[in-house]
Amino acid sequence: MSWVKVASAQELDNDEAKTVTAGGCGLALYRIDDEFFVTDSMCTHGAALLSEGYVEDGCVECPLHQGRFDIRTGQAMCAPATVNIRTHLVKRDGDDVLVWVG
Ligand code: FES
């Protein structure tokens, strides 16, 4: 169990998402109001990557069927997404963005 660097802070602007990998898992890294958040990347509704979704108002919209998830909590916000996504611990160390892999 450890913190793993997944990106440099300057790689992402606010309201952007990026695919990262930690512990062998594909994750979605987001930047919102200069804070970083990480969720699983695979949508809980189907085979689509939330890291390729549209980020707005603290939510990510799935690119396949437009289900929305709260990025901070992982809560599914609207149909057809009904199952929450997992969130992961994130911290920033200087320019490094790290994710906790447990
Ligand atoms: Fe994401 Fe359907 S695959 S809402």
Side-chain angles (χ1 to χ4, degrees), residues 3-80:
W3 290 100
V4 175
K5 179 184 174 183
V6 293
S8 296
Q10 59 196 345
E11 292 177 43
L12 275 180
D13 288 327
N14 279 316
D15 294 333
E16 281 189 353
K18 173 184 174 65
T19 302
V20 297
T21 302
C25 297
L27 304 172
L29 172 67
Y30 313 87
R31 184 173 186 157
I32 303 169
D33 296 334
D34 290 326
E35 283 191 76
F36 291 88
F37 302 90
V38 170
T39 70
D40 284 350
S41 188
M42 187 63 69
C43 182
T44 56
H45 179 252
L49 295 178
L50 297 175
S51 52
E52 297 175 358
Y54 179 65
V55 178
E56 184 179 56
D57 296 333
C59 291
V60 59
E61 183 178 276
C62 177
L64 190 53
H65 304 120
Q66 289 72 54
R68 286 170 62 88
F69 298 88
D70 185 304
I71 289 168
R72 290 176 173 84
T73 65
Q75 183 178 358
M77 302 296 287
C78 72

